[in-house]
């Protein structure tokens, strides 16, 4: 902990991802998970969304070079989809330190959630990796004043003084927000109750109104809709925070908003106070992530229509990070002399989500 504390104090970066802290072992575990389930009859194709400094790409390619059959490594391609031009350059340098990786690796500097950047649909199996991507994707907020009030979109507007911001509530109209509400089934209680129950609820809500505020992962929905469209046979590995400690901002799935100065972090009580230099982390609701995944694959829509009893199009599992690392990694490499193992014992608030296509394609 002292070592990490010193690293943070010497750096402008407010936090390092686990793949950086535990290199190369963290990336090696991901590579092992891919190798155990990949179809080697076709060339291995990997996409990484938001590849950071290239540590994950380098670790995975190193592992495959050393542990997979030569034909797998020689025919593989690894594409990083990176929105930041400066990080794209860093990734090229990191991976380029191994000369044999260079022809197999490329960086596409673009927004992965923009359909136009992907070109034609990729019909071959492939892998998509997203490490600590979901926590930074855009979210929307919906609000209801009481148990029976309709959900409203939350907008932010600038006040007349042009400095301060305030919230504005409007009826649901944004299509991403509406679809997120649909997937979450937030409206189900309002439509499936008897009139007696509804009357009681109406009286109760007037006496004890209970406002509700929900943060919706609309950026995740948009990204997965695009990925399912352009990479219908993708296998997905995502890792992220399942909860965040000491969140001061109200609402379900509310973010941690903090800023760093002189090596120490300060958390904001209100997201509208954070301007310019704040870090925003959202917790990932892995149950909701699975529902969004099934929705984007087309299966959840079919179930809701009750028109089909066909099987799921995705086989999914959510694992604690420690369970993932014990299954696919080499925990002995990170065990300390007294038995403490930061790879397994730290980052208890992170999980892995694995999703692979089934044969139920119709």
């Amino acid at each position: 902990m002292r070592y990490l504390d010193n690293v943070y104090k010497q750096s402008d970066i407010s936090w390092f991802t686990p793949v950086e802290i535990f290199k190369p072992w963290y990336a090696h575990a991901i590579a092992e998970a891919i190798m155990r389930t990949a179809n080697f009859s076709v060339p291995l194709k990997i996409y990484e969304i938001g590849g950071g400094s290239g540590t994950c790409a380098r670790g995975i390619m190193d592992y495959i070079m050393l542990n997979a059959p030569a034909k797998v490594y020689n025919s593989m391609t690894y594409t990083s989809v990176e929105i930041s031009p400066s990080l794209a350059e860093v990734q090229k340098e990191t991976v380029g330190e191994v000369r044999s990786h260079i022809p197999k690796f490329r960086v596409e500097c673009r927004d992965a959630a923009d359909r136009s950047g992907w070109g034609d649909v990729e019909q071959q199996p492939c892998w998509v990796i997203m490490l600590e991507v979901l926590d930074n994707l855009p979210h929307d907020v919906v609000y209801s004043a009481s148990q029976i009030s309709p959900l409203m979109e939350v907008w932010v507007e600038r006040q007349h003084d042009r400095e301060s911001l305030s919230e504005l509530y409007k009826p649901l109209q944004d299509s991403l927000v509406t679809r997120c509400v649909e997937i979450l089934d937030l409206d189900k209680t309002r439509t499936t109750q008897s009139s007696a129950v509804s009357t009681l609820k109406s009286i109760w809500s007037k006496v004890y109104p209970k406002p509700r505020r929900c943060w919706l992962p609309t950026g995740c929905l948009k990204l997965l809709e695009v990925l399912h469209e352009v990479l219908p046979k993708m296998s997905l590995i995502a890792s992220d925070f399942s909860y965040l400690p000491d969140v001061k901002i109200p609402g379900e799935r509310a973010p941690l908003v903090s800023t760093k100065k002189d090596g120490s972090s300060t958390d904001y009580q209100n997201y509208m106070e954070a301007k310019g230099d704040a870090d925003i982390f959202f917790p990932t609701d892995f149950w909701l992530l699975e529902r969004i995944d099934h929705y984007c694959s087309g299966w959840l829509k079919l179930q809701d229509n009750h028109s089909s009893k066909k099987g799921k199009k995705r086989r999914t599992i959510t694992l604690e990070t420690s369970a993932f690392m014990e299954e696919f990694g080499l925990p002995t490499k990170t065990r300390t002399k007294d038995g403490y193992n930061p790879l397994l014992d730290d980052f208890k608030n992170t999980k892995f989500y694995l999703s692979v296509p089934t044969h139920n394609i119709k």
Side-chain angles (χ1 to χ4, degrees):
M1 295 308 292
R2 274 200 302 271
Y3 167 77
L4 259 190
D5 196 43
N6 286 331
V7 169
Y8 279 121
K9 280 178 178 169
Q10 292 162 18
S11 168
D12 290 334
I13 297 172
S14 53
W15 73 289
F16 286 97
T17 57
V19 76
E20 297 281 353
I21 294 169
F22 301 117
K23 66 183 177 189
W25 313 115
Y26 197 92
H28 284 189
I30 295 169
E32 175 63 23
I34 291 172
M35 281 180 54
R36 282 200 209 168
T37 46
N39 175 7
F40 289 147
S41 66
V42 295
L44 178 60
K45 188 172 280 194
I46 300 172
Y47 293 93
E48 185 179 2
I49 314 292
S53 63
T55 299
C56 181
R58 166 75 188 273
I60 287 174
M61 295 183 81
D62 284 351
Y63 189 87
I64 290 171
M65 178 177 70
L66 294 170
N67 294 284
K71 67 165 191 165
V72 173
Y73 174 71
N74 292 333
S75 64
M76 78 173 289
T77 57
Y78 196 114
T79 304
S80 172
V81 182
E82 176 57 62
I83 201 166
S84 162
S86 56
L87 283 175
E89 290 306 314
V90 174
Q91 289 171 26
K92 287 178 194 170
E93 288 172 23
T94 303
V95 176
E97 288 168 5
V98 179
R99 291 189 65 183
S100 62
H101 292 348
I102 295 171
K104 302 167 181 59
F105 179 78
R106 77 172 187 270
V107 183
E108 296 180 359
C109 198
R110 58 184 176 84
D111 179 2
D114 182 352
R115 170 66 183 89
S116 63
W118 286 94
D120 296 336
V121 173
E122 171 64 66
Q123 294 294 352
Q124 290 297 324
C126 64
W127 285 84
V128 174
I129 300 168
M130 297 193 292
L131 305 182
E132 286 74 45
V133 169
L134 301 174
D135 61 61
N136 283 135
L137 290 180
H139 283 58
D140 279 275
V141 194
V142 291
Y143 172 81
S144 63
S146 72
Q147 297 91 316
I148 58 163
S149 301
L151 286 168
M152 309 286 277
E153 290 178 2
V154 179
W155 289 54
V156 174
E157 66 173 0
R158 203 175 287 283
Q159 296 291 56
H160 297 302
D161 59 14
R162 312 307 273 163
E163 282 296 315
S164 55
L165 302 169
S166 65
E167 289 187 343
L168 193 67
Y169 305 117
K170 299 184 181 182
L172 293 185
Q173 56 191 26
D174 182 281
S175 62
L176 271 174
V177 173
T178 308
R179 289 203 296 283
C180 244
V181 168
E182 196 180 298
I183 294 164
L184 254 175
D185 250 2
L186 286 179
D187 278 335
K188 65 180 176 185
T189 51
R190 297 190 177 90
T191 55
T192 57
Q193 289 161 346
S194 69
S195 58
V197 172
S198 297
T199 306
L200 274 172
K201 269 206 155 183
S202 177
I203 296 166
W204 186 258
S205 67
K206 283 171 185 165
V207 180
Y208 297 107
K210 190 178 176 185
R212 186 178 189 186
R213 178 179 285 264
C214 293
W215 294 80
L216 304 176
T218 42
C220 170
L221 173 59
K222 184 181 178 187
L223 176 59
L224 283 180
E225 282 183 336
V226 168
L227 291 176
H228 274 282
E229 181 186 341
V230 297
L231 307 171
K233 293 183 181 174
M234 71 165 175
S235 296
L236 174 67
I237 297 181
S239 172
D240 232 301
F241 296 97
S242 53
Y243 72 91
L244 295 166
D246 307 321
V247 172
K248 296 178 179 178
I249 290 167
E252 298 167 34
R253 293 177 295 277
L256 184 66
V257 183
S258 65
T259 189
K260 185 182 176 189
K261 195 173 182 182
D262 302 325
S264 63
S265 294
T266 307
D267 295 343
Y268 287 97
Q269 307 252 7
N270 184 336
Y271 70 94
M272 289 184 287
E273 294 169 4
K275 292 174 185 174
D277 59 350
D279 276 308
I280 304 175
F281 305 99
F282 285 91
T284 295
D285 181 336
F286 281 84
W287 170 84
L288 180 53
L289 174 61
E290 184 182 40
R291 279 186 72 85
I292 290 173
D293 191 21
H294 284 310
Y295 177 88
C296 295
S297 75
W299 176 75
L300 200 61
K301 296 173 200 170
L302 288 173
Q303 295 305 108
D304 288 346
N305 291 342
H306 302 292
S307 61
S308 171
K309 296 295 178 194
K310 289 190 170 70
K312 293 179 180 177
K313 295 187 177 184
R314 311 287 298 172
R315 200 165 69 239
T316 63
I317 186 170
T318 299
L319 295 170
E320 301 287 340
T321 294
S322 55
F324 180 89
M325 291 300 162
E326 283 179 327
E327 177 64 33
F328 300 111
L330 292 168
T332 52
K333 299 290 188 182
T334 54
R335 188 176 295 135
T336 57
K337 288 177 183 176
D338 67 353
Y340 164 73
N341 193 329
L343 184 65
L344 304 181
D345 300 329
D346 287 353
F347 292 97
K348 288 287 190 186
N349 59 335
T350 61
K351 292 181 179 179
F352 271 84
Y353 177 72
L354 285 75
S355 169
V356 299
T358 66
H359 297 296
N360 302 314
I361 54 170
K362 291 187 178 176

